[in-house]
Amino acid sequence: MNIKDFYLRCQNYFGNDAQRFIELLNEKATHGFFLNTCKSNKEDILSLIDFNYHSSGLNSNSYYTDSENIGKTLAYNLGLIYPQDVESSYFCEFLKGRDFKLIVDLCAAPGGKSIDVLNTFNDCLLIANDVSCARASIISSNFERLGYTDTLITSTDVSNLTSSLKGNADLVILDAPCSGEGMIRKYPEIIENLKEEEYRKLEDIQMSLLDEAYSLLKEDGILVYSTCTYNPGEDELQLLNF
């Protein structure tokens, strides 16, 4: 897809706000991180951070920063912070106060949403899965550095989890494979890789994964579905169809 075609899609998405959206795409990308309060308290973690930051206002432990080198800091290497776009951790704010015993993150790599959950809920077992073994190993590396226990990391097709755990999960997280339009400001090359047939393929995959995710839930379980794209076919319309 060329830039002109993508801008046309933006007009369909945002209407009168499309031009403002395109202007924002050309601004410098933001960066975020959150605190691993499972390992230390908030005050002690912040005392070790040696770069500029400010609170996100969306999550009490999430922050914005201009630094692009979070992964080279002492706080990172001690497992006290984790780089993550602020909005990615926001879903946990809606789940606070609930009691979850079994949580399954179906497309978990590199592990961000699993990490959010482990920082929010105690006394739960988390299964973090990714069909790619290489990507699952990244989850393992992150969990080890951050010091998490009570977790299982699997690398298997979602249908295999469904057959073993059907009807047992209190919470299922499906951060589904998507076209990634929400990452264009960080990775402009995404535009060149987007193709109309790829959108349709991804929508079919998402639909199948939603069915699998639902079958994992207990009767009163919760399913969290998310993408990092603007395409309604992968978001609002996908949920309506589901």
Side-chain angles (χ1 to χ4, degrees):
M1 180 181 295
N2 59 42
I3 293 178
K4 181 180 178 180
D5 289 337
F6 180 70
Y7 284 180
L8 288 174
R9 290 186 73 95
C10 291
Q11 289 177 350
N12 291 329
Y13 295 165
F14 304 116
N16 294 334
D17 293 324
Q19 185 57 43
R20 175 59 178 151
F21 172 77
I22 291 168
E23 291 170 358
L24 289 171
L25 280 185
N26 292 317
E27 291 187 3
K28 183 180 179 182
T30 59
H31 301 276
F33 67 94
F34 74 84
L35 311 183
N36 178 15
T37 52
C38 290
K39 214 169 193 183
S40 185
N41 64 67
K42 186 173 182 177
E43 291 73 21
D44 287 346
I45 297 174
L46 291 176
S47 71
L48 292 175
I49 295 177
D50 56 359
F51 52 83
N52 293 327
Y53 62 89
H54 63 275
S55 176
S56 71
L58 295 178
N59 181 310
S60 59
N61 287 323
S62 67
Y63 294 82
Y64 287 112
T65 178
D66 292 328
S67 175
E68 299 180 6
N69 298 307
I70 296 175
K72 298 179 180 179
T73 63
L74 176 63
Y76 173 87
N77 286 296
L78 290 174
L80 298 174
I81 61 175
Y82 180 79
Q84 186 183 49
D85 290 333
V86 168
E87 64 275 12
S88 295
S89 62
Y90 190 38
F91 78 100
C92 276
E93 292 296 305
F94 297 95
L95 302 175
K96 285 183 176 178
R98 298 180 181 272
D99 182 29
F100 298 124
K101 296 302 181 185
L102 177 61
I103 300 173
V104 183
D105 190 352
L106 289 179
C107 305
K113 287 185 171 57
S114 287
I115 292 168
D116 295 328
V117 163
L118 292 167
N119 264 272
T120 306
F121 303 104
N122 299 315
D123 301 320
C124 65
L125 172 64
L126 170 78
I127 299 176
N129 179 71
D130 201 278
V131 69
S132 164
C133 187
R135 287 171 59 80
S137 68
I138 298 173
I139 304 173
S140 179
S141 176
N142 282 328
F143 281 11
E144 182 177 0
R145 180 174 51 80
L146 293 161
Y148 295 128
T149 57
D150 297 327
T151 62
L152 293 173
I153 300 169
T154 58
S155 180
T156 187
D157 188 273
V158 170
S159 60
N160 292 328
L161 285 177
T162 303
S163 63
S164 301
L165 299 171
K166 186 174 182 179
N168 281 286
D170 300 290
L171 171 65
V172 175
I173 303 166
L174 176 56
D175 190 22
C178 71
S179 55
E181 293 173 338
M183 304 297 289
I184 286 173
R185 188 159 66 168
K186 282 187 177 180
Y187 309 109
E189 64 273 14
I190 288 175
I191 293 178
E192 300 173 7
N193 297 324
L194 292 174
K195 296 179 176 60
E196 289 297 332
E197 58 269 23
E198 188 68 17
Y199 282 98
R200 291 189 291 273
K201 180 180 178 181
L202 287 164
E203 289 167 15
D204 289 342
I205 292 172
Q206 293 154 3
M207 188 179 299
S208 175
L209 287 171
L210 275 165
D211 287 337
E212 296 281 7
Y214 182 74
S215 68
L216 283 167
L217 289 175
K218 289 182 176 178
E219 185 174 343
D220 58 348
I222 294 176
L223 170 59
V224 173
Y225 175 81
S226 63
T227 71
C228 54
T229 193
Y230 308 108
N231 175 28
E234 300 176 72
D235 295 325
E236 294 90 343
L237 297 179
Q238 189 67 266
L239 293 182
L240 285 172
N241 289 332
F242 173 69

